[in-house]
Amino acid sequence: GSVTLIWEQVPDPTAIFTAYSVFYKPDPISAFSLVGQVTDIAQVTFRHAAAGADLRSRFYYVQAESTAGPSQTSDTIETIFLYFETDDNENISLYWNALHDPPLPTPNVRYLVNMEYPPGNWEELTNTQLLQFDYHFWFCNPGQAVVNFQVITQDFSTGCQSTSNVFGGVLSNLSQPDRPVMDSVSVDPSGGVI
């Protein structure tokens, strides 16, 4: 459940930058706390190991520090947490949250819903602007392999993307096929069936 954050480098024309401070909270009601600092202005990534983002959404913001004081904070971003519900291990409803509440004002954000089945083979099921997707699992899955899902947000105007946790379970299509319907039978004069 680690989280990697990426942000844009701040301008520093007067060379007063001291650090990027990364703040984190584990849930919507907790207070933010400093989880780390990056002192190289050109390093615009931070990895929060063991963040637990595979268990639930986590919240982050970044602030630039300088000898003149801190900058305004970035927007608060929530990690995407994906889960699904099923009553029969065949028809599933996938749910996830947006990165920002209210959603960021861009019309180009899409959620790519991916499935891993068989193991090691990822396939895009759909891309949508919604925060939910219903799916019918059509495979028999005789080996009872875990079927995994992941959501990737893609803003096609900026190229930015974020990925959710991987969430999975054993799914199997146990439905009987539809009953065949015969509409006619023909017999040829020599007694063979046509």
Side-chain angles (χ1 to χ4, degrees):
S2 66
V3 172
T4 300
L5 301 169
I6 302 170
W7 57 87
E8 293 179 4
Q9 182 174 329
V10 297
D12 187 26
T14 56
I16 59 172
F17 172 86
T18 57
Y20 296 110
S21 294
V22 180
F23 293 86
Y24 152 85
K25 68 178 181 174
D27 56 63
I29 59 173
S30 296
F32 277 99
S33 61
L34 181 67
V35 71
Q37 288 190 309
V38 176
T39 57
D40 179 353
I41 193 169
Q43 182 182 334
V44 291
T45 63
F46 177 80
R47 184 172 184 270
H48 184 194
D54 56 334
L55 303 174
R56 66 170 300 138
S57 294
R58 305 304 187 190
F59 300 81
Y60 294 88
Y61 71 83
V62 178
Q63 186 171 40
E65 308 287 345
S66 73
T67 55
S71 69
Q72 290 186 336
T73 64
S74 68
D75 281 335
T76 298
I77 298 294
E78 180 179 359
T79 60
I80 302 169
F81 184 74
L82 167 70
Y83 67 97
F84 68 74
E85 295 175 350
T86 180
D87 291 330
D88 59 8
N89 292 331
E90 180 178 334
N91 295 292
I92 63 171
S93 294
L94 296 140
Y95 302 96
W96 59 92
N97 59 279
L99 285 170
H100 192 271
D101 188 23
L104 296 171
T106 175
N108 298 314
V109 173
R110 306 291 294 181
Y111 297 98
L112 311 178
V113 180
N114 298 303
M115 177 181 72
E116 181 191 27
Y117 182 81
N121 182 41
W122 284 94
E123 170 188 3
E124 182 180 320
L125 298 178
T126 191
N127 80 49
T128 180
Q129 289 184 305
L130 303 176
L131 297 173
Q132 186 264 336
F133 176 65
D134 293 325
Y135 180 70
H136 183 100
F137 186 75
W138 291 105
F139 305 96
C140 292
N141 195 7
Q144 299 295 292
V146 171
V147 180
N148 288 312
F149 296 88
Q150 186 174 46
V151 171
I152 300 172
T153 62
Q154 182 82 40
D155 183 334
F156 293 103
S157 64
T158 64
C160 293
Q161 77 175 28
S162 297
T163 57
S164 73
N165 58 307
V166 174
F167 190 86
V170 176
L171 302 176
S172 185
N173 185 328
L174 302 176
S175 299
Q176 297 292 325
D178 290 340
R179 179 177 171 212
V181 176
M182 294 193 336
D183 65 353
S184 62
V185 174
S186 299
V187 180
D188 72 14
S190 62
V193 176
I194 300 177

